[in-house]
């Protein structure tokens, strides 16, 4: 057993072979025995977004310029330690909280979190300053509702927060404290979160709505809430979910509510 004693350093894991071994290194180290430091600043250009990167043994850190948002990764994801810096490129204001996406595609939310609508995996802790939602980049849209939020990442729709009438569209009434993907399709182009219902349009101009429906806001000619996306007849280019109603513009330019 070539792994006894363990030849891998700096927390590396040894995998025994026939008259050989390999080391699986933890993030920040590399080499045959994980003895070499990885320079994350050169290995991953732009890792700090708008900030400047400083390498250290087994890690790195970022210095953010003024008017940018920074967020420590150390206690979130060990594969992305340090700080990301970015300026907000778009924002959405909900009932009593807000969300925004930075120029490098990171998502932040802040404000009231009574129903985990901030999506930061906390137990309904209010945030006075922007807090990072997960560790992924690639967010292209976000819409803050009353007690739930929806966004798009990689063409896929995600919703989180309150779910008492199916406004997250996942087929349950379970609240979500982190972004929850709806289905497996990645062809969505827009999403809108209302008071207790949501709507989205895909790349084929199909409109779907789900959630509260006591005033017919889903558009299915009924009043029972719907906890999975319901396709609204027609071909559509934009949609906005309100408090208890929905308005949309079809591909011919006509407006319907």
């Amino acid at each position: 057993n070539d792994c006894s004693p363990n030849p891998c350093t700096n927390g590396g894991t040894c995998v025994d072979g026939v008259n050989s071994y390999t080391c699986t290194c933890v993030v920040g180290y590399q080499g045959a025995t994980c003895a070499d430091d990885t320079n994350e600043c050169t290995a991953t250009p732009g890792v700090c977004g708008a900030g400047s990167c400083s390498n250290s043994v087994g890690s790195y850190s970022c210095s953010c310029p003024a008017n940018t948002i920074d967020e420590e990764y150390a206690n979130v994801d060990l594969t992305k330690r340090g700080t990301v810096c970015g300026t907000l490129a778009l924002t959405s204001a909900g009932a009593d909280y807000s969300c925004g996406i930075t120029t490098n595609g990171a998502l932040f939310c802040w404000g009231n979190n009574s129903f985990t609508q901030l999506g930061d995996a906390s137990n309904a802790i209010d945030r006075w300053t922007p807090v990072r939602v997960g560790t992924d980049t690639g967010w292209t849209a976000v819409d803050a509702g009353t007690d739930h939020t929806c966004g798009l990442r990689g063409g896929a729709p995600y919703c989180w927060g309150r779910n008492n009438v199916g406004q997250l569209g996942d087929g349950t009434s379970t609240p979500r404290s982190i972004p929850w993907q709806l289905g497996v399709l990645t062809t969505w182009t827009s999403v809108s979160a209302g008071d207790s219902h949501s709507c989205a349009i895909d790349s084929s101009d199909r409109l779907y709505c789900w959630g509260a429906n006591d005033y017919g806001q889903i558009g299915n000619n009924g009043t029972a809430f719907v906890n999975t996306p319901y396709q609204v007849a027609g071909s559509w280019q934009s949609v906005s979910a309100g408090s208890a109603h929905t308005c949309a513009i079809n591909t011919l330019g006509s407006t319907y509510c």
Side-chain angles (χ1 to χ4, degrees):
N1 186 343
D2 298 285
C3 289
S4 181
N6 186 5
C8 306
T9 60
N10 295 312
T13 302
C14 184
V15 179
D16 184 46
V18 179
N19 294 323
S20 66
Y21 67 88
T22 56
C23 292
T24 302
C25 304
V26 299
V27 173
Y29 295 96
Q30 60 184 346
T33 61
C34 305
D36 302 327
D37 172 59
T38 299
N39 188 328
E40 289 91 350
C41 297
T42 56
T44 311
V47 67
C48 291
S52 58
C53 183
S54 298
N55 186 63
S56 58
V57 177
S59 186
Y60 69 95
S61 61
C62 304
S63 297
C64 296
N67 301 318
T68 61
I69 292 177
D70 59 14
E71 176 68 13
E72 287 297 332
Y73 277 118
N75 296 321
V76 179
D77 186 348
L78 291 178
T79 66
K80 297 180 178 179
R81 290 173 292 184
T83 307
V84 64
C85 313
T87 56
L88 288 177
L90 58 91
T91 59
S92 176
D96 45 15
Y97 73 103
S98 307
C99 294
I101 298 174
T102 63
T103 51
N104 55 333
L107 175 61
F108 292 80
C109 292
W110 58 95
N112 180 35
N113 197 28
S114 299
F115 295 96
T116 66
Q117 61 263 47
L118 300 188
D120 65 344
S122 68
N123 187 21
I125 299 174
D126 295 346
R127 302 293 188 177
W128 297 93
T129 58
V131 62
R132 182 77 183 271
V133 179
T135 58
D136 292 301
T137 55
W139 291 95
T140 56
V142 64
D143 196 33
T146 297
D147 298 319
H148 78 292
T149 311
C150 292
L152 293 178
R153 181 170 60 83
Y158 293 79
C159 291
W160 58 96
R162 196 175 190 181
N163 197 25
N164 59 315
V165 287
Q167 55 264 55
L168 302 190
D170 64 352
T172 75
S173 57
T174 304
R176 306 292 183 180
S177 62
I178 59 174
W180 201 262
Q181 184 174 348
L182 278 67
V184 297
L185 297 180
T186 58
T187 56
W188 300 83
T189 58
S190 66
V191 66
S192 179
D195 176 48
S196 298
H197 75 293
S198 311
C199 294
I201 296 176
D202 68 11
S203 59
S204 297
D205 302 325
R206 293 174 296 197
L207 170 61
Y208 294 81
C209 292
W210 58 92
N213 195 30
D214 42 345
Y215 294 98
Q217 55 264 51
I218 299 301
N220 65 351
N221 201 32
T223 55
F225 76 83
V226 179
N227 61 12
T228 57
Y230 168 83
Q231 184 177 350
V232 180
S235 182
W236 307 89
Q237 59 176 301
S238 66
V239 64
S240 180
S243 176
H245 74 297
T246 307
C247 289
I249 299 176
N250 68 11
T251 52
L252 297 177
S254 300
T255 301
Y256 291 80
C257 293

